[in-house]
Amino acid sequence: MAFFWTVAALVVALAVVWRLLGAYMVSVYEGRCGWLGFLERPIYRLMGVNAETEQTWQRYGVSLTAFSGVVLLIGYGLLRLQGSLPLDPQHLGAVGPAVSFNTIVSFVTNTNWQAYSGETTMSYLSQMGTLALQNFLSAAVGMAVAVALIRGFSRKGSKTIGNFWVDLVRGTLYILAPIAVVAAVVFIAQGAVQTLAGPVTVSDAINRVTQVIPRGPVASQEAIKQLGTNGGGFFNANGADPFENPTGLTNFLSILLILSIPVALTYTFGKMVGSVRQGVAVLAAMTIIFGAWLAIATVAEHQPNPAVAAAGLTAQPAGNMEGKEVRFGDTTSALYGVASTQTSTGSADSAYDSYTPMGGFAMLSGMMLGEVSPGGVGSGLYTILLFAIVTVFIGGLMIGRTPEYLGKKIQAREVKLASLGVLVMPLSVLVLAGIAVAVPAGRAGPLNAGPHGFTEILYAFTSAANNNGSAFGGIAANTRFYEITTAVAMLLGRFGVIIPVLALAGSLAVKEYVAESVGTFRTDKAIFVGLLLGVVFIVGALTFFPAVSLGPIVEQLSHGKFF
Amino acid sequence: MEAHSTQTKRDVESGSDVGARPSLTAKGLGAGRSLFDKQILADAAVEGLKKFDPRVQVKNPVMFVVVVGTAVTLAESIAHPSVFSWSITVWLALTVYFANFAEAVAEGRGKAQADTLRRLRVETEARRLRPDGTEERVSAADLARGDKVVCEAGYYIPSDGEIIEGVASVDESAITGESAPVIRESGGDRSAVTGGTRVLSDRIVVEITAERGKTFLDRMINLVEGAERKKTPNEVALTILLAALTIVFLPVVVVLEPFATFAGASVSVVVLVALLVCLIPTTIGALLSAIGIAGMDRLVQRNVLAMSGRAVEAAGDVATLLLDKTGTITLGNRMASTFIPVAGHSEEELADAAQLASLADETPEGRSIVVLAKQRFNLRERDLGSQRVFVPFSAQTRMSGLDIDGRQIRKGAAEALKRWVLEQGGSAPGDLHTIVEKVAKGGSTPLVVADGSEILGVVELKDVVKDGIKERFEQMRAIGIRTVMITGDNPLTAAAIAQEAGVDDFLAEATPEAKMNLIKAEQEGGKLVAMTGDGTNDAPALAQADVGVAMNTGTTAAKEAGNMVDLDSNPTKLIEIVEIGKQLLMTRGALTTFSIANDVAKYFAIIPALFVVSYPQLKTLNIMRLHSPQTAILSAVIFNALVIVALIPLALRGVRFRPAGATSILRRNVLVYGVGGVVAPFIFIKLIDLAVTATGVFH
């Protein structure tokens, strides 16, 4: 019952966020909102950006790539030099080269795959100056790309798709920063840690133990980690750590923050293309997937643990509580997990490795569908729009017209770019997982043997290539092999999609509108939502069915047998 | 008959009569062989083998992968022979063959038609005029643009040209299939003649307008044969999507090898190739070009030649149809329907005068007046004696009539007649204006009749709207196409006819410029426009329109400006062209959906078969309960090949077009080809598995 009210409260809260934040983002990206102009203008002056000039998709793409490249290099340098820089009260020293590379790639790509343990690796400067900063910037980049694509649809006969620097600054300044500040205050009020005073040493005289308890600027990072669908926790235990996620309220707020921007962007999209119904259609498809996967995960996790039962222990809780916080319970943990895996966030308040096979499958397959339900900030929207283009292409043909979407003809170039954008992720996952199971360094990674071990490998690359960053656990992520290969997956999954999306935006923006008639394929109707879901499922199923059947499906069909 | 001495060489050689020259059947190009004529199937069976040529295969990425896959399994079968691997190899080869066969069948009818046309293009002898006016005999092959040739009754016109002198009746049945001869004359919009047609009467001088090898006949041959067939834009886009779906399955299948090894299983190359072929969209890949060729062919069946596949695709997208009123919406000729007397004259008096004035008028309107007077008052055509002078219609006077026994009877436009009676010292009666207005408002043309200075009344000439045209427009509306009537009539008349015919809009008092502006305005609003035209002044609009259908009776300029030519010169056909365009795209979409939806069942057949040895648990996924891994994989491969054959008729005939809104069409097609595409293979793979198991060859 508590779970039902949690979901109901979440739906109501998201409905409000969808409408208000969605409309607010329209005004931000259309440049009609200027209450932080006193901060915005100096930033442009500092960067030497003329906010009035617009960019072609090529310029936009070059700016974006150059920016990401530069912050990646700076971030790498800061991590490597950590020991010589201030704010390192634990004297953690420099971060190793491979893990630095993996980590900075991970944060720049909005993945937040963590091949390290935060409290024992990162200084406060690295946590705040490098990682938390990237949480803002990578989220703003994702939103900028989504907005550029929306402009592709909403403009006609235009060579330009906006200005990357302006979109980046405005997204950070007007959307991410204010919400993160407010959320951080709530986290602090609820008991999340926020200090630069370093760890405390606690001595227990009775038991004669002395314990060092790590602390740090946690709450501030926590807010943006969820809001920007980044997911990289301050502590290794992520959302299961009471310093990060102290109460049921913060747990709920985490889920809400995770879903806010991806959900609200559908309103922004609809409004900017001139029909909110178009945004509702996309949101409906997202919601159906989310709802279905939530059902799978909660039902699976609400079963008694079959392995525990097989061991003859009759008195076990109603749900599978292995690897879960008792503060949150089985179903709410599953809700958090689904929200996190389907938004490319990857934060966690429970251990997926300990989920039932179907629960784990729900986490894994949610990502395999391409992170579109509702997906990461920006990336969720632009990815589902790629699927929508493939959908209207096939659906449009079936009604006897050459396909069009939102008044734009979908032709060879659009199909090429959309196919590329859709297929980069599954290709990266399959090829890298194929390499991992074939080479000794890869085979050494998983903790378990057999299908569960295979799932651990598959999960790692699915998480990385989807820029999710959630960890299934059980895999030795901090080995050279996985540090390099997952970084490759993250880069491909990010820029391999962003570049085609920007090219698509450019190609759409120049096109003229095609008038709508009763003969037009309506993309704001239930049948479109159904077809879009069909395409998302079929592409996901066709590419991953063989792999999944060797992992979670075999496990599930083994009924509690350990691997 | 001297003319017979200058028949074509071929006819002389064969000693045949002029009439025996090859021509397409009485109904024209369209009435060729049936889609699955035995001869065409036999030819296609052979042609299908020739298409194994790698240079042909490489153009189709999907089928090329199957070819390479077949080569791999063939090598494997030779190295490690087994009944299973050989069976797979044979069925993979058959998959390619069936695709080739489908394309060959689609091409078959066009090839046959091209052969027939080619026989028309035999060496014709031409009588070329020298600058001094004397004639010389040259081969038609030596004619250049600008040459002038003489054609007399019985002669074949040697090449395309314009009549610059004379008038003749021409038998164009060889091209159009229409057996009734047509009149061609110099000047105006009826001056174009086509090489290969025959002059039946009179003598004309033709200036050649086409270069050798570029005549209309040559173009027709190329078109029906598909010699210059290029992939249309949508076909290119679909090929890209199919290629993407093919490329993604390569790693899906390749990585199964290490995945399987990790799981402690081993999979053979033959099985992996089989899986790959089953997953890539072979059904649509095999039938895609056949669908395109068949779409063009369906147009040819209706006697329409599309100059490019692009035009056929555009037809499916048309949002606005510009239709000429005359000949398309109305029956071309206005018919007298009522006599309305004025100023106390009787109806019979009016009818009598009107009939007299029309006796010498050979236009259909004039004839209809004579007929109406006869029907209403039993007034017969009479012997007028010799004291009569016919006054023909002229653009200046805008009236016609006759002078007889001192009477001057005239009929014509209201303004012209009013002026005339004033000149004669009479005056226009008070009720004339209202009657004229009323008739015009009703969509008819008022024709005023006067006897001397007396206006007798008005003859109402009614435009007769074609039967069933209103229903066609309703269908168009249902699929989202706006119909606009183009007419030279005044707005009042135009509005009335538009109302009666049920068009959405009309353009009255249309000039070529107004037509052009309308097209541009529609296009700027993002709409694709289709129109028909035949006159030289239609040419710019035909070129501007997205689908411009030129009438074969039209001028060369019109035919060159448009992207389709209707050999029947029937403007109503525009509607069918749109339907064919839509049908073509729908067929592509339906088969793509079907092809992809099929994969679900194939996975359920093959995946458990691949891994059931290492993970016996996976037999739960074998929901079809297929006999064994070998029969399961083979059955999927056989299904994959046979489904191509099964769908050839659908690909060639096209998905049935129903006039309905987009959403209802989509719902139906998703149900049939999407859901059907998921379900059907489960049933058929199971049936094939039963058959394969029954052979007892596979364990």
Side-chain angles (χ1 to χ4, degrees):
Chain A
M1 213 45 204
F3 177 67
F4 170 81
W5 289 114
T6 307
V7 174
L10 186 63
V11 169
V12 172
L14 279 173
V16 174
V17 166
W18 176 75
R19 178 67 182 74
L20 297 181
L21 180 59
Y24 176 66
M25 288 195 287
V26 175
S27 67
V28 168
Y29 286 109
E30 288 184 347
R32 285 187 278 106
C33 172
W35 62 283
L36 291 171
F38 67 96
L39 288 172
E40 188 186 354
R41 284 183 293 272
I43 295 176
Y44 294 144
R45 266 201 298 281
L46 206 66
M47 294 165 73
V49 168
N50 179 358
E52 303 304 313
T53 51
E54 291 236 325
Q55 294 173 313
T56 60
W57 81 263
Q58 291 96 335
R59 298 284 311 163
Y60 202 102
V62 167
S63 304
L64 186 150
T65 319
F67 171 75
S68 301
V70 168
V71 294
L72 198 143
L73 287 175
I74 295 174
Y76 180 80
L78 288 174
L79 291 179
R80 298 287 295 124
L81 298 173
Q82 179 176 284
S84 325
L85 296 168
L87 286 175
D88 184 13
Q90 287 167 276
H91 306 291
L92 294 167
V95 185
V99 78
S100 292
F101 172 66
N102 184 279
T103 302
I104 194 64
V105 165
S106 170
F107 278 74
V108 167
T109 57
N110 197 260
T111 312
N112 295 28
W113 171 264
Q114 293 168 294
Y116 61 91
S117 176
E119 57 270 43
T120 56
T121 316
M122 297 296 169
S123 73
Y124 294 170
L125 182 74
S126 297
Q127 292 277 21
M128 290 191 300
T130 305
L131 305 184
L133 181 66
Q134 289 312 323
N135 282 350
F136 280 98
L137 297 179
S138 66
V141 166
M143 289 156 73
V145 174
V147 170
L149 181 58
I150 296 174
R151 291 193 188 113
F153 284 110
S154 65
R155 293 179 173 187
K156 61 172 186 170
S158 164
K159 285 198 172 71
T160 58
I161 55 168
N163 182 317
F164 169 72
W165 305 108
V166 173
D167 290 341
L168 178 76
V169 169
R170 292 186 71 87
T172 312
L173 199 59
Y174 286 89
I175 300 166
L176 297 169
I179 302 175
V181 166
V182 173
V185 171
V186 177
F187 272 95
I188 294 169
Q190 287 291 308
V193 174
Q194 182 76 8
T195 178
L196 292 178
V200 284
T201 308
V202 183
S203 296
D204 182 342
I206 301 166
N207 295 314
R208 291 166 183 263
V209 271
T210 302
Q211 203 180 354
V212 178
I213 298 181
R215 301 184 303 175
V218 179
S220 55
Q221 180 148 341
E222 195 62 15
I224 186 61
K225 147 190 143 184
Q226 310 290 23
L227 178 67
T229 66
N230 298 286
F234 192 95
F235 300 113
N236 195 29
N238 208 308
D241 190 306
F243 283 2
E244 281 199 15
N245 187 9
T247 64
L249 180 67
T250 54
N251 198 54
F252 178 83
L253 184 62
S254 293
I255 299 171
L256 179 63
L257 285 173
I258 285 173
L259 295 169
S260 287
I261 293 178
V263 164
L265 269 174
T266 62
Y267 182 90
T268 311
F269 162 69
K271 197 77 189 166
M272 283 176 79
V273 300
S275 161
V276 175
R277 287 177 58 99
Q278 299 287 352
V280 173
V282 169
L283 178 63
M286 293 172 163
T287 310
I288 290 169
I289 301 177
F290 189 89
W293 260 248
L294 179 61
I296 297 172
T298 48
V299 168
E301 291 312 300
H302 201 53
Q303 310 294 324
N305 190 323
V308 175
L313 295 171
T314 47
Q316 58 165 319
N320 169 30
M321 284 302 292
E322 182 196 324
K324 293 198 182 67
E325 270 284 299
V326 281
R327 290 180 293 148
F328 308 130
D330 54 346
T331 48
T332 306
S333 294
L335 171 62
Y336 191 115
V338 171
S340 169
T341 48
Q342 306 216 348
T343 52
S344 92
T345 305
S347 59
D349 70 357
S350 54
Y352 307 146
D353 202 20
S354 303
Y355 274 32
T356 61
M358 277 298 107
F361 168 76
M363 302 300 140
L364 177 61
S365 57
M367 294 188 287
M368 284 172 168
L369 294 180
E371 295 283 19
V372 292
S373 49
V377 286
S379 65
L381 182 70
Y382 64 66
T383 309
I384 203 166
L385 291 179
L386 296 179
F387 279 108
I389 284 173
V390 175
T391 306
V392 294
F393 186 78
I394 298 171
L397 283 179
M398 275 200 285
I399 59 160
R401 282 171 75 96
T402 61
E404 62 220 2
Y405 186 42
L406 302 170
K408 298 296 179 98
K409 276 271 172 241
I410 303 303
Q411 289 159 316
R413 186 171 161 77
E414 290 74 42
V415 169
K416 193 189 292 172
L417 293 167
S419 306
L420 188 64
V422 163
L423 296 179
V424 160
M425 184 276 288
L427 286 178
S428 312
V429 173
L430 289 170
V431 171
L432 289 167
I435 294 171
V437 297
V439 303
R443 297 170 79 106
L447 177 70
N448 303 75
H452 199 68
F454 180 72
T455 307
E456 287 165 358
I457 294 175
L458 190 62
Y459 195 102
F461 289 107
T462 307
S463 174
N466 275 295
N467 301 134
N468 186 292
S470 77
F472 196 62
I475 197 154
N478 57 344
T479 60
R480 179 77 39 106
F481 175 82
Y482 283 100
E483 279 162 356
I484 303 289
T485 50
T486 53
V488 169
M490 290 185 269
L491 288 170
L492 283 172
R494 182 72 166 179
F495 298 102
V497 181
I498 283 181
I499 301 299
V501 166
L502 289 178
L504 189 63
S507 155
L508 290 168
V510 252
K511 286 179 192 253
E512 295 294 332
Y513 281 130
V514 183
E516 198 180 292
S517 75
V518 292
T520 310
F521 179 16
R522 292 286 295 270
T523 50
D524 55 358
K525 296 265 183 197
I527 185 126
F528 167 74
V529 176
L531 265 183
L532 175 58
L533 288 172
V535 169
V536 172
F537 286 138
I538 291 248
V539 169
L542 292 185
T543 46
F544 288 114
F545 185 76
V548 168
S549 60
L550 289 174
I553 292 181
V554 168
E555 287 188 73
Q556 173 66 20
L557 296 174
S558 308
H559 305 290
K561 185 168 166 270
F562 275 119
F563 289 101
Chain B
M1 285 279 283
E2 205 186 86
H4 277 265
S5 64
T6 52
Q7 282 171 30
T8 66
K9 276 183 199 162
R10 186 181 171 278
D11 284 343
V12 173
E13 278 158 17
S14 63
S16 69
D17 184 66
V18 172
R21 244 190 128 196
S23 95
L24 296 156
T25 58
K27 281 186 258 158
L29 278 176
R33 301 145 189 246
S34 97
L35 203 52
F36 299 104
D37 178 273
K38 268 191 195 135
Q39 186 58 45
I40 288 179
L41 291 183
D43 290 346
V46 178
E47 194 63 26
L49 289 174
K50 290 188 197 155
K51 284 177 188 275
F52 268 99
D53 186 336
R55 281 167 301 179
V56 178
Q57 293 296 331
V58 80
K59 288 181 193 156
N60 184 337
V62 181
M63 294 318 291
F64 186 68
V65 170
V66 184
V67 172
V68 173
T70 313
V72 171
T73 59
L74 181 66
E76 193 64 20
S77 301
I78 293 167
H80 312 284
S82 76
V83 180
F84 175 71
S85 59
W86 275 108
S87 304
I88 295 283
T89 307
V90 167
W91 279 101
L92 292 185
L94 280 173
T95 309
V96 180
Y97 177 71
F98 292 152
N100 294 346
F101 177 72
E103 195 180 75
V105 172
E107 286 167 348
R109 189 155 53 178
K111 282 226 167 81
Q113 282 156 351
D115 287 343
T116 315
L117 286 171
R118 213 169 266 129
R119 268 176 268 143
L120 276 176
R121 203 180 48 177
V122 286
E123 291 293 301
T124 308
E125 207 176 32
R127 289 161 59 188
R128 183 161 66 185
L129 282 178
R130 293 203 189 90
D132 61 4
T134 57
E135 287 179 19
E136 59 180 345
R137 305 214 160 198
V138 294
S139 162
D142 298 332
L143 288 175
R145 260 180 101 133
D147 281 351
K148 296 176 180 62
V149 295
V150 177
C151 296
E152 278 180 349
Y155 278 81
Y156 282 96
I157 296 168
S159 185
D160 297 354
E162 296 272 348
I163 301 177
I164 50 171
E165 195 185 311
V167 51
S169 63
V170 179
D171 173 10
E172 293 189 340
S173 61
I175 304 272
T176 66
E178 174 56 53
S179 53
V182 292
I183 302 295
R184 298 295 192 181
E185 59 188 324
S186 62
D189 288 347
R190 298 280 175 274
S191 63
V193 287
T194 312
T197 59
R198 191 165 62 105
V199 178
L200 290 179
S201 70
D202 306 290
R203 174 185 187 275
I204 47 175
V205 177
V206 174
E207 183 176 321
I208 303 301
T209 53
E211 277 165 47
R212 175 76 180 162
K214 289 186 180 161
T215 65
F216 187 65
L217 200 57
D218 293 315
R219 270 156 76 198
M220 254 176 100
I221 292 169
N222 282 340
L223 282 169
V224 295
E225 199 174 39
E228 289 164 17
R229 211 179 90 78
K230 283 199 207 96
K231 279 197 179 131
T232 58
N234 176 262
E235 224 176 337
V236 171
L238 184 53
T239 307
I240 289 171
L241 182 70
L242 297 180
L245 283 172
T246 306
I247 291 166
V248 76
F249 284 121
L250 276 169
V252 167
V253 171
V254 170
V255 298
L256 272 183
E257 214 281 320
F259 285 2
T261 312
F262 186 79
S266 71
V267 285
S268 74
V269 175
V270 173
V271 169
L272 286 180
V273 171
L275 176 62
L276 176 63
V277 171
C278 284
L279 293 181
I280 62 175
T282 47
T283 313
I284 179 66
L287 296 171
L288 184 57
S289 74
I291 294 169
I293 298 166
M296 296 282 273
D297 184 58
R298 273 198 294 283
L299 276 180
V300 174
Q301 296 303 301
R302 284 166 180 78
N303 263 353
V304 176
L305 288 180
M307 298 305 161
S308 71
R310 185 186 284 260
V312 186
E313 254 168 31
D317 287 349
V318 162
T320 308
L321 279 186
L322 302 190
L323 298 161
D324 277 330
K325 183 197 79 177
T326 310
T328 311
I329 296 170
T330 64
L331 281 174
N333 307 315
R334 287 169 296 195
M335 310 284 272
S337 64
T338 18
F339 294 113
I340 311 163
V342 293
H345 295 283
S346 78
E347 207 179 331
E348 186 164 357
E349 204 181 331
L350 169 65
D352 182 63
Q355 194 186 44
L356 277 174
S358 306
L359 284 178
D361 185 351
E362 287 296 331
T363 63
E365 287 88 351
R367 305 298 327 150
S368 77
I369 294 174
V370 174
V371 171
L372 185 69
K374 190 160 76 184
Q375 283 169 349
R376 300 271 286 110
F377 301 103
N378 205 21
L379 297 170
R380 303 238 154 236
E381 293 179 41
R382 57 214 103 165
D383 184 15
L384 299 169
S386 55
Q387 290 302 308
R388 60 184 162 79
V389 182
F390 286 112
V391 182
F393 178 86
S394 83
Q396 280 79 40
T397 61
R398 294 172 65 207
M399 62 175 120
S400 65
L402 91 168
D403 298 344
I404 184 169
D405 307 331
R407 287 166 75 187
Q408 289 183 304
I409 304 174
R410 295 289 182 276
K411 66 176 168 55
E415 288 308 311
L417 262 285
K418 264 190 230 168
R419 207 171 46 239
W420 194 73
V421 294
L422 286 178
E423 281 166 19
Q424 304 294 313
S427 67
D431 50 352
L432 181 70
H433 181 74
T434 17
I435 291 172
V436 166
E437 277 284 282
K438 204 175 140 221
V439 169
K441 237 179 221 162
S444 303
T445 310
L447 200 62
V448 176
V449 180
D451 186 348
S453 59
E454 279 283 299
I455 287 186
L456 302 178
V458 177
V459 181
E460 181 178 358
L461 291 178
K462 214 172 153 103
D463 244 327
V464 184
V465 171
K466 279 186 177 173
D467 257 0
I469 200 85
K470 196 165 182 169
E471 289 71 32
R472 293 304 287 275
F473 290 153
E474 266 160 30
Q475 291 175 3
M476 289 292 116
R477 204 166 299 124
I479 57 173
I481 293 174
R482 207 166 74 93
T483 45
V484 180
M485 181 180 85
I486 307 289
T487 173
D489 292 343
N490 63 61
L492 276 181
T493 314
I497 296 170
Q499 166 94 36
E500 192 182 343
V503 291
D504 296 311
D505 202 353
F506 64 87
L507 178 66
E509 286 165 355
T511 57
E513 293 74 38
K515 218 162 157 176
M516 189 73 174
N517 290 339
L518 177 64
I519 295 175
K520 283 187 177 158
E522 292 284 315
Q523 287 173 335
E524 260 158 43
K527 291 176 178 167
L528 264 62
V529 181
M531 68 168 285
T532 58
D534 55 1
T536 300
N537 57 15
D538 284 333
L542 278 172
Q544 177 73 30
D546 301 282
V547 178
V549 184
M551 301 294 106
N552 190 46
T553 51
T555 58
T556 314
K559 283 204 253 179
E560 273 170 9
N563 46 19
M564 292 192 196
V565 175
D566 179 14
L567 299 176
D568 292 344
S569 304
N570 170 11
T572 319
K573 221 181 265 170
L574 201 48
I575 298 170
E576 284 172 59
I577 293 172
V578 169
E579 289 180 2
I580 290 171
K582 286 196 174 291
Q583 211 186 14
L584 172 73
L585 296 169
M586 276 164 67
T587 310
R588 273 187 206 148
L591 289 181
T592 305
T593 308
F594 188 81
S595 192
I596 298 169
N598 272 198
D599 281 4
V600 176
K602 292 173 193 165
Y603 261 141
F604 278 97
I606 295 182
I607 293 297
L610 277 180
F611 300 116
V612 80
V613 179
S614 350
Y615 297 128
Q617 304 94 312
L618 285 176
K619 71 174 186 295
T620 316
L621 292 182
N622 181 9
I623 54 178
M624 285 174 270
R625 298 276 163 260
L626 303 178
H627 175 69
S628 72
Q630 285 201 346
T631 64
I633 293 164
L634 186 58
S635 302
V637 170
I638 294 176
F639 170 80
N640 196 50
L642 290 182
V643 76
I644 296 172
V645 181
L647 291 175
I648 290 176
L650 180 70
L652 299 193
R653 291 207 188 96
V655 168
R656 200 157 60 90
F657 175 82
R658 289 155 6 120
T663 310
S664 96
I665 293 179
L666 183 65
R667 198 175 299 129
R668 183 176 178 278
N669 285 340
V670 167
L671 203 65
V672 174
Y673 300 99
V675 179
V678 172
V679 176
F682 279 101
I683 300 165
F684 288 105
I685 291 177
K686 176 67 188 170
L687 291 176
I688 295 169
D689 182 73
L690 291 175
V692 168
T693 310
T695 62
V697 184
F698 303 95
H699 51 77

